[in-house]
Every structure is written in structure tokens, then in C-alpha cells.
Amino acid sequence: IERNIRASDIVGRVGVDGFGVVISNCPEEQLTTVANKLIAACHDAPVVTACGPIHLKVSVGGVGFPEVGQTAHDVMTQAEVARRDARQRRGIPFVHYQSSEEQRRDSREHVEIAEQVMRALKSNRLVFAYQPIVEARSFVVKHHECLLRMVERDGTVIPAAKFMPVIETLGLVREVDRYVLETAVHELTEHADASYAINVSALTANDRSWLRLLFA
């Protein structure tokens, strides 16, 4: 990707298998040309492994800003909505966000979920549900897996599957994973004999700053 963009452009990883590219001073009518160039570059560069090459399938969503999106969440959400459209359409690897009613609805839902989670994060309303992990032979509980839940202000409990995909898409997963780690360590200070397993994203597991925090 970096070899096919300008020095003034920016590329960053925003998910396990997702990247965001910020193209500066690019008229919206040229977005398709840029996207097709990146798609061709990925298709022409299979990942070489000991068992043979792995050919990539790429789907791209694009959005112009500030013409359409105003905030970072808006832009990320709209690009992801367009990318999902591209993934669902056979033979159309790039979709330009056009602000259709359906796309606007999906975009609003993503932003609302992200804002809900960020508010819950600040007010400590992200909590653990402790799932016992039992040894098959002895039926003894060996440890507990900490499953993340979001508690709404009215007491409604929302499972991680309802909000984590959006958080990963919008590049906010590092903040949540840091909170998970700190919460688990706090729980261990309260229950020193406990043994916990936590879930973090693959993106966070490769983040050296998070690993330093874990060791500390």
C-alpha cells in the first residue's frame, strides 16, 4: 500500500485485517482511480508462504471529507459502511460512500454505538461476566474467562458481540483492551487466588506499548 501512495499520504492499521488510507488533496472524482490502483497492487502481490502463495481479496470503501464526513468517527464509519457494501457486491471491489438513506442509517448506528462505548468506558460501565473454564476429566474449574459486557444506564446488559466489531472497525479497540487489562489486574488485587483469561484483539496483541503495560 505504501508503495502506491504519495509521501504526503498516510496509511495505518485500523483492524486485524483492515487499513485506513488518508489521501490528501484528492478530488472525490479521483477516489475510484486511487482505490483501483491500491486494489490492483494488493492483487498483484500475493503473500508468499512455505505452502505456496496466498492471493488476497480486497474490498475498499471511500469517503470524501470534509464534504461528507465531519469528525473522525464520521469518516471512519462512512468508509466502513461503503467497504461493507463493496464486500457484499460481487465483482465491485470499491464503493464510494454516496450518503444513501441506508448508508446514513448504518453510519448513524456505528457512531451511536461508538459513543455509547466511550461513555461506558469513562463511567466504568464496561464490566466482566466470568465464564468458568472447567477441566474435562476432573470437572474442576481451572480459571475464568473475562467476557466483556456493557451496562446501559437503565441496567440493560449488552454483550461484546453487539459492540466490539464496531469498536475494532473504528480503531478504538486499543482503548478498550487497555481498560480490560487494567480491570483484570484490579480484580486480581481483590481476589489474589483467582486466575483469569482476558480477550484482546490481534491488533493489540502486536502493540508493544500494550505488552509493556502487561509486563509492568
Side-chain angles (χ1 to χ4, degrees):
I1 295 174
E2 286 180 332
R3 287 197 300 268
N4 286 275
I5 59 177
R6 302 164 302 180
S8 59
D9 301 329
I10 301 169
V11 59
R13 193 168 187 172
V14 295
V16 175
D17 59 354
F19 294 84
V21 183
V22 180
I23 307 293
S24 59
N25 299 316
C26 176
E28 283 208 59
E29 59 269 19
Q30 292 184 17
L31 268 180
T32 301
T33 301
V34 175
N36 287 336
K37 182 180 179 182
L38 294 177
I39 291 166
C42 292
H43 285 172
D44 293 342
V47 179
V48 179
T49 75
C51 298
I54 298 175
H55 295 276
L56 306 178
K57 182 179 180 182
V58 182
S59 55
V60 179
V63 60
F65 66 94
E67 295 86 358
V68 180
Q70 297 296 320
T71 69
H73 281 175
D74 288 342
V75 172
M76 293 284 286
T77 298
Q78 291 160 354
E80 172 59 16
V81 167
R83 188 203 64 79
R84 284 194 304 170
D85 283 353
R87 188 175 184 179
Q88 292 168 1
R89 299 182 189 181
R90 293 183 179 274
I92 306 177
F94 171 68
V95 169
H96 187 181
Y97 184 85
Q98 298 294 343
S99 194
S100 67
E101 182 55 41
E102 183 179 0
Q103 287 180 327
R104 284 196 298 272
R105 186 181 66 248
D106 288 347
S107 178
R108 284 195 300 270
E109 288 177 358
H110 275 63
V111 171
E112 287 170 3
I113 290 171
E115 290 175 348
Q116 277 182 300
V117 175
M118 291 300 104
R119 287 196 297 269
L121 200 62
K122 292 177 181 177
S123 55
N124 296 318
R125 287 186 290 105
L126 291 181
V127 301
F128 288 150
Y130 299 94
Q131 176 169 284
I133 305 301
V134 180
E135 187 178 63
R137 287 194 177 90
S138 66
F139 298 103
V140 172
V141 175
K142 287 298 184 179
H143 63 274
H144 289 79
E145 182 179 359
C146 301
L147 304 176
L148 199 61
R149 300 287 185 264
M150 179 168 63
V151 181
E152 289 283 52
R153 295 191 185 280
D154 63 1
T156 304
V157 178
I158 301 174
K162 294 289 186 181
F163 59 86
M164 283 306 295
V166 173
I167 294 303
E168 289 184 339
T169 295
L170 297 183
L172 300 172
V173 72
R174 286 187 177 93
E175 294 180 57
V176 174
D177 284 347
R178 184 184 181 99
Y179 176 91
V180 165
L181 175 59
E182 292 174 343
T183 302
V185 171
H186 174 74
E187 288 296 310
L188 286 173
T189 64
E190 300 290 324
H191 308 283
D193 59 339
S195 178
Y196 295 141
I198 61 174
N199 297 298
V200 298
S201 73
L203 192 62
T204 296
N206 286 294
D207 183 346
R208 292 184 179 181
S209 64
W210 190 90
L211 290 173
R212 284 196 296 270
L213 178 65
L214 171 63
F215 288 126

